[in-house]
Amino acid sequence: MIDRRDFMIASLGALSASSLDALADEPLLISSNAVNDPSVPTLRARYAFSVSVFFKERIMIESPRRRAYVPAMGGEIWGPRLTGRVVPYGGADYGSGGLVAQYLFQASDGALIYITNYASILNVDDDGKQVSWSGDAPPTARRKPDEPPQQAFVSRPPDRKHQRFRTMPIFDAPVGKHAWLNRTVFVGHGVRHVDPDHSIFTYYEVL
Amino acid sequence: MQEFILPAVDTKTLGAPKFEYAFQIHARFEPATQTKTTRGGRYMRGIAGGKITGPRLTGEVYPNSGGDFSFVERDGVHELNARFMLRAADTGEWIYVEHRGYRRPDGYYRIQAQFDADKQGKYQSLNNAMWLASAQESKDGAEVTFTYFEVV
C-alpha cells in the first residue's frame, strides 16, 4: 500500500506538501446566493459523503449511439453520513452520450445501496473556470475495411488540468438506517484522475 | 480493498459547487387525480399555465403542456415526475422542462431539473447545466412556486 502522501504527490503533481492537508477540508454547507427578493427562498445543501471509484479498463463501442463500458473495480466511501465501500464489479458506467453510471455501494453495516449516477463532464481551465462540455472517450479514427475495431482505450490524461463532473445521483437503499437516501435530493461533483485511473465524487444532500 | 487509498477531494483547487438563483415559475395546476396501481399510486395533475419571473428568464408556462405525474410510494412520499413547456417572453423560444425529485409528507419538496433549449438560441445556457429547485405549494394546492438554482 502506497503511503497516502506519496500517492497524492505523485498523482496531483505540483501541489506542495502543506496544501495536501488543506485538501482534507470539505465545505460542510452550501447556500444559494443572497437575493434581494423575499419571495425567493434560500437553497441549502450539506456535505454528506465522498466516494472514490477505481477503474481498470475503458471500452467504447462505436454503435450508432456510442456505448461506453467502464466497470468499477472498487473504492471507498467516507464522510459524515455514510461509510463503506464500492462493491467491486458491482456496476459500471454504461454511458451513451451522457454518463449514466450505476454502481453498488456497501455501507459499513453491510447494507447494499444501488446508485444511479447521472453525470455530465465539463472541462475547466487552470483557473477552475468552465470551458466546455465533452464526452469522455477519445474519437476513434476511421477504420480500414479489414481492420478489427479497437474498443479498449487507455484513459488519457484530461485535456485541461482537470475534468470535473456534476452529478445527480439517485439512490436505492434498503429499508432501515439508510432509507433516507431514497427520499433526499442530492447534488454532487466529481474529479477525474489518471494514474491510477479513478474518480472521486463528493455528494451533498439538499436540505 | 487493501490496495485502495483514500484520496481527499480536490475541492480547494476547483471550489465547491455554488447555487445561483436563476428564476421562478409560478405554476397553476388543475385539480389532482389519484389512482392506486399495482405498484403503488399515481398523483397526477395537469399544468394549466403560469408565469416565469427572474433574472435569467421571463415568460410563460405554455398552457396545458404537461404536468406532474408523481409516483406515490407506500410511505406517502411522492417521486416527482413532471414535464411541461415554457415560452420565453422576448424571443418566443420554446423550452422543455423536466422534474425529478421528492416531495415528502414533512414538507420537503426538492427537485432536480433539466431544461432543453435551442442550442443556438438565447437560452442555450440552460442546456448543459445542472439545476436544483425548491418548491412551495399554496394553501389550496392550486399553485406551486418553483425556484430554480443553477449548480455552478
Side-chain angles (χ1 to χ4, degrees), chain A residues 16-34:
Chain A
S16 68
S18 61
S19 66
L20 290 177
D21 293 311
L23 285 177
D25 293 330
E26 190 57 56
L28 292 179
L29 201 69
I30 307 174
S31 285
S32 58
N33 56 323

Side-chain angles (χ1 to χ4, degrees), chain A residues 33 133 164 166 182 206-207, chain B residues 15 21 102 108 110 128 152:
Chain A
N33 56 323
W133 291 89
R164 192 174 191 192
R166 289 282 176 224
N182 308 340
V206 176
L207 300 171
Chain B
Y21 167 61
Y102 298 109
Y108 181 89
R110 300 283 182 267
N128 289 324
V152 298

